[in-house]
Amino acid sequence: MLEFNSTRKRMSVIVRFEGKLLLLCKGADSVMFERLGENGREFEEDTRKHVDEYADAGLRTLILAYRELTEEEYKEFNERFKAAENSVSADRETMINEATELVERDLVLIGATAVEDKLQQGVPDCIDKLAQAGIKLWVLTGDKMETAINIGFACSLLRQGMKQIIITLETPEIKQIEKKGEKGPIAQASKKSVLQQISEGKDLIAFLGKNEAFALIIDVVCSFVICCRSSPKQKALVTRLVKEETGKTTLAIGDGSNDVGMLQEADIGVGISGVEGMQAVMSNDIAIAQFKFLERLLLVHGHWCYRRISSMICYFFYKNVTFGFTLFCYEAHASFSGQAAYNDWCMSLYNVFFTSLPVIARGVFDQDVSATYCLKFPLLYQEGVQNVIFSWRRIIGWMLNGVCAAVIIFFLCIRALDPQAYKKDGKTAGLDIVGSTIYKCVFWVVNCQMAISISYFTLIQHIFIWGGVCLWYSFLLAYGAMSPSISTTAYKVFIEALAPSASYWLITLCVVIAALTPYFSYKSIQMRFFPMYHEMIQWIGHDGRSDDPEYCNMVRQRSIRHTTVGDMARSMARTNPLTGSTHRRR
């Protein structure tokens, strides 16, 4: 048996039948027709015609051929083939290929086979949603160009009315594409219609190697790219070229062993488990059972995870800046005397126990938009692609919010406590009372900030936020019980000075409201006059207009303004799930 590989694109077996040595070979038409002998081309014209008809019908084809070997030919080949197989040198594969070349020539054509490769249920709708989300789609397949185009129409990747650009090394289109793409046919056509490009694997790889800017041109102006006649190695090379030249995050999805190289080369590999085996599943980052699950994986869980992690990190900045800047203000107010504002245990446990659980709950459970609306408005996924939630502007904004909250907390507490007398003996507020009051205000502010910024409350989040408050007061009681001899602990200050005073609770309430006012004011203005896309979708559900097609289309059109020209054209040409209009061919 002469095994199949990505270079040979064929496989053969040598059998002894009725005293004859026969080599039976099957492979792609691109390599099989050129290996036919002069006496083996009797049915070549008819076979080529049939193969083209099969490809137009969307069938996957193979060419069958044979050759009769003499005993001398087989003996010479067998010795050389065994020596190549037993070799341990670096060029072992080359030696095996050279040995197979001895017998895989002068073949006699038998005919062609064609099989139907049915699409899984839900593939067209899934691809349609991914395209609406602004995701660039590349199809890398080993089929003939006609088969690939037919499958492209069947899975809703290609549509009538789109301009097709077919790229091969033998066609003049290659010479007409300038490096920057400003005057070439791609750029000119992109101004009129959405583009689809169909190219052969070896041609695309060869041209990308000569013109590095071409990958960027394709990514910007072409809606879809189909790369046909691609071997497994070529699939991996195309993935690497696109990833390196465009600088974009790439996701590869496949279900067979021939997709392993592509899955490993992409930033994210998704394997489909099924009849093709488990090689793809064992070599990837994520495994799914059907292709249609990719829609929910990206548009729902992808959006949620991006927003959760981004919000969690921004909130970490906020709560630590709020806590740390109050210390800075205290030291500046005390002329940098080195006097500690907070109890040592309170400082150590601030991030470990008292404020960590609400942040973790937000990073796991928060949902700004329900799964239904994530699928209903696929362009919501572009918030992650354009990095709207985790930009430097947003990070710095949260840090400034923390600075403002810290300044308000510190100076309000200082001014409120300055003339007050809390202790029963009439003594004025000391450093312990000031520090404990500021700490408790910081603790209440960061927890309330978390509560008003969460979009989706669950029981766990309620327990972590308000349970964290209870944990703090429980800690005071436990700390006081374990350290009864220490008179300056936070427990003594709270029990003897702060808790009995109504003014302390009033100050805490006023300080918390004042510290949250800047964020609440900014958020109200921003949502009223400059709403983000997910905030507009949130209000669709809040005001009961989710079934209003006109209003939902307005939301879509507003979001399109924030996408590229290619994304806009794709979104407008795609199916509108609310109105039912369609511009695609099934």
Side-chain angles (χ1 to χ4, degrees):
M1 180 178 293
L2 310 182
E3 297 286 353
F4 172 90
N5 61 43
S6 60
T7 303
R8 289 162 39 78
K9 295 184 179 180
R10 63 189 182 277
M11 72 168 294
S12 305
V13 293
I14 299 178
V15 299
R16 189 180 296 276
F17 177 71
E18 295 182 351
K20 298 180 180 179
L21 282 173
L22 298 178
L23 176 127
L24 308 178
C25 184
K26 66 175 182 179
D29 57 345
S30 59
V31 297
M32 293 296 292
F33 283 126
E34 63 187 24
R35 297 185 173 276
L36 299 179
E38 293 295 330
N39 298 327
R41 299 180 178 271
E42 179 181 357
F43 306 110
E44 181 180 1
E45 183 177 351
D46 291 337
T47 303
R48 287 184 180 271
K49 179 180 178 181
H50 294 159
V51 167
D52 291 339
E53 292 175 354
Y54 296 153
D56 290 336
L59 304 179
R60 313 188 78 167
T61 60
L62 282 176
I63 304 300
L64 306 179
Y66 81 100
R67 179 191 175 192
E68 185 174 347
L69 302 177
T70 64
E71 293 290 343
E72 292 76 14
E73 287 178 325
Y74 174 72
K75 183 177 180 181
E76 179 185 358
F77 157 77
N78 193 38
E79 291 177 354
R80 189 167 179 178
F81 184 73
K82 286 184 177 295
E85 277 193 323
N86 296 329
S87 174
V88 294
S89 61
D91 57 346
R92 177 176 179 274
E93 292 295 330
T94 303
M95 296 173 61
I96 292 177
N97 291 336
E98 291 175 354
T100 59
E101 291 288 338
L102 295 176
V103 292
E104 290 179 337
R105 55 184 175 83
D106 298 331
L107 301 177
V108 178
L109 178 64
I110 298 176
T113 64
V115 296
E116 182 180 7
D117 191 9
K118 290 185 178 181
L119 293 175
Q120 291 182 354
Q121 184 179 1
V123 171
D125 293 334
C126 178
I127 291 179
D128 189 48
K129 284 291 180 65
L130 297 181
Q132 291 183 53
I135 298 175
K136 300 286 185 179
L137 301 173
W138 289 54
V139 177
L140 310 180
T141 177
D143 296 322
K144 288 172 58 67
M145 183 176 296
E146 294 82 3
T147 304
I149 294 175
N150 190 285
I151 294 175
F153 280 111
C155 66
S156 189
L157 187 68
L158 307 180
R159 302 184 304 277
Q160 297 294 337
M162 295 175 64
K163 180 176 178 59
Q164 295 184 7
I165 297 179
I166 299 178
I167 301 298
T168 63
L169 291 178
E170 291 77 17
T171 54
E173 284 85 351
I174 290 289
K175 301 179 181 179
Q176 299 176 5
I177 301 176
E178 290 78 11
K179 287 187 176 181
K180 294 184 179 180
E182 297 176 353
K183 300 179 181 179
I186 289 184
Q188 295 297 324
S190 65
K191 299 177 181 179
K192 301 179 181 179
S193 62
V194 182
L195 299 182
Q196 56 192 16
Q197 181 198 336
I198 300 95
S199 59
E200 296 194 9
K202 59 183 178 62
D203 299 334
L204 185 60
I205 293 174
F207 188 66
L208 286 176
K210 298 177 182 178
N211 190 348
E212 297 177 353
F214 183 59
L216 184 60
I217 297 173
I218 293 176
D219 182 71
V220 171
V221 302
C222 289
S223 297
F224 314 107
V225 178
I226 298 178
C227 189
C228 53
R229 292 190 182 276
S230 301
S231 66
K233 184 177 181 180
Q234 289 170 342
K235 291 180 180 181
L237 290 175
V238 170
T239 304
R240 180 190 303 173
L241 287 169
V242 173
K243 179 176 66 174
E244 293 178 352
E245 300 302 332
T246 63
K248 302 294 182 61
T249 301
T250 56
L251 180 146
I253 180 169
D255 63 349
S257 58
N258 58 337
D259 299 318
V260 170
M262 175 182 66
L263 294 172
Q264 294 179 340
E265 191 64 47
D267 295 306
I268 305 168
V270 178
I272 302 177
S273 59
V275 296
E276 295 292 336
M278 298 297 291
Q279 292 92 336
V281 172
M282 299 297 292
S283 306
N284 59 20
D285 303 303
I286 301 170
I288 58 179
Q290 296 184 40
F291 184 89
K292 65 180 181 180
F293 296 155
L294 186 66
E295 173 185 352
R296 190 174 181 88
L297 176 67
L298 292 179
L299 302 186
V300 179
H301 296 286
H303 171 74
W304 282 349
C305 289
Y306 166 74
R307 179 170 177 80
R308 289 166 180 168
I309 295 175
S310 302
S311 302
M312 181 182 68
I313 295 175
C314 290
Y315 186 78
F316 260 115
F317 278 109
Y318 163 78
K319 74 183 186 68
N320 285 289
V321 168
T322 303
F323 180 74
F325 205 75
T326 55
L327 290 173
F328 177 80
C329 293
Y330 185 89
E331 293 298 330
H333 193 72
S335 300
F336 296 97
S337 63
Q339 172 65 41
Y342 305 140
N343 178 273
D344 293 339
W345 279 98
C346 296
M347 293 180 63
S348 301
L349 300 180
Y350 175 80
N351 274 319
V352 179
F353 290 111
F354 300 146
T355 60
S356 61
L357 294 180
V359 184
I360 295 175
R362 179 171 188 172
V364 175
F365 299 105
D366 195 29
Q367 301 176 12
D368 61 331
V369 177
S370 66
T372 302
Y373 285 109
C374 286
L375 298 176
K376 198 172 188 178
F377 300 92
L379 268 177
L380 186 64
Y381 184 78
Q382 280 295 310
E383 286 192 344
V385 176
Q386 299 175 11
N387 201 21
V388 175
I389 310 298
F390 197 56
S391 61
W392 278 109
R393 177 182 176 183
R394 189 174 179 86
I395 294 174
I396 294 175
W398 273 98
M399 295 175 68
L400 291 177
N401 184 27
V403 172
C404 293
V407 171
I408 292 173
I409 292 171
F410 177 77
F411 284 102
L412 284 182
C413 288
I414 287 293
R415 296 307 175 193
L417 293 175
D418 190 24
Q420 298 297 326
Y422 288 121
K423 294 186 176 181
K424 296 179 181 179
D425 56 5
K427 292 182 179 180
T428 57
L431 295 177
D432 295 328
I433 294 178
V434 173
S436 297
T437 304
I438 296 175
Y439 184 89
K440 293 175 182 63
C441 288
V442 170
F443 180 73
W444 272 101
V445 166
V446 296
N447 277 278
C448 291
Q449 175 69 70
M450 170 65 75
I452 65 175
S453 61
I454 284 180
S455 301
Y456 179 71
F457 260 108
T458 63
L459 178 61
I460 295 178
Q461 287 168 319
H462 278 294
I463 292 175
F464 282 176
I465 293 176
W466 312 123
V469 176
C470 298
L471 179 64
W472 157 247
Y473 290 109
S474 300
F475 166 77
L476 286 180
L477 298 176
Y479 186 35
M482 290 186 297
S483 306
S485 61
I486 304 177
S487 59
T488 59
T489 60
Y491 165 78
K492 295 291 184 180
V493 172
F494 178 75
I495 294 298
E496 296 181 1
L498 299 181
S501 174
S503 302
Y504 161 75
W505 299 103
L506 180 61
I507 289 173
T508 302
L509 177 62
C510 295
V511 169
V512 170
I513 294 175
L516 296 177
T517 299
Y519 172 83
F520 192 79
S521 301
Y522 166 79
K523 199 66 178 177
S524 301
I525 296 173
Q526 185 254 324
M527 291 188 66
R528 177 65 180 84
F529 299 103
F530 313 100
M532 300 176 68
Y533 189 37
H534 71 272
E535 293 169 342
M536 299 174 66
I537 296 175
Q538 287 173 344
W539 280 109
I540 289 179
H542 291 168
D543 59 12
R545 303 179 71 177
S546 58
D547 297 327
D548 185 351
E550 183 177 352
Y551 184 70
C552 292
N553 285 332
M554 183 273 292
V555 174
R556 287 193 180 90
Q557 293 302 321
R558 181 184 178 95
S559 67
I560 287 175
R561 280 181 268 172
H562 302 288
T563 61
T564 62
V565 175
D567 296 332
M568 182 189 302
R570 183 189 301 107
S571 178
M572 295 176 67
R574 284 287 172 176
T575 301
N576 184 338
L578 294 175
T579 61
S581 60
T582 181
H583 300 280
R584 63 182 178 179
R585 170 183 171 182
R586 283 288 185 181

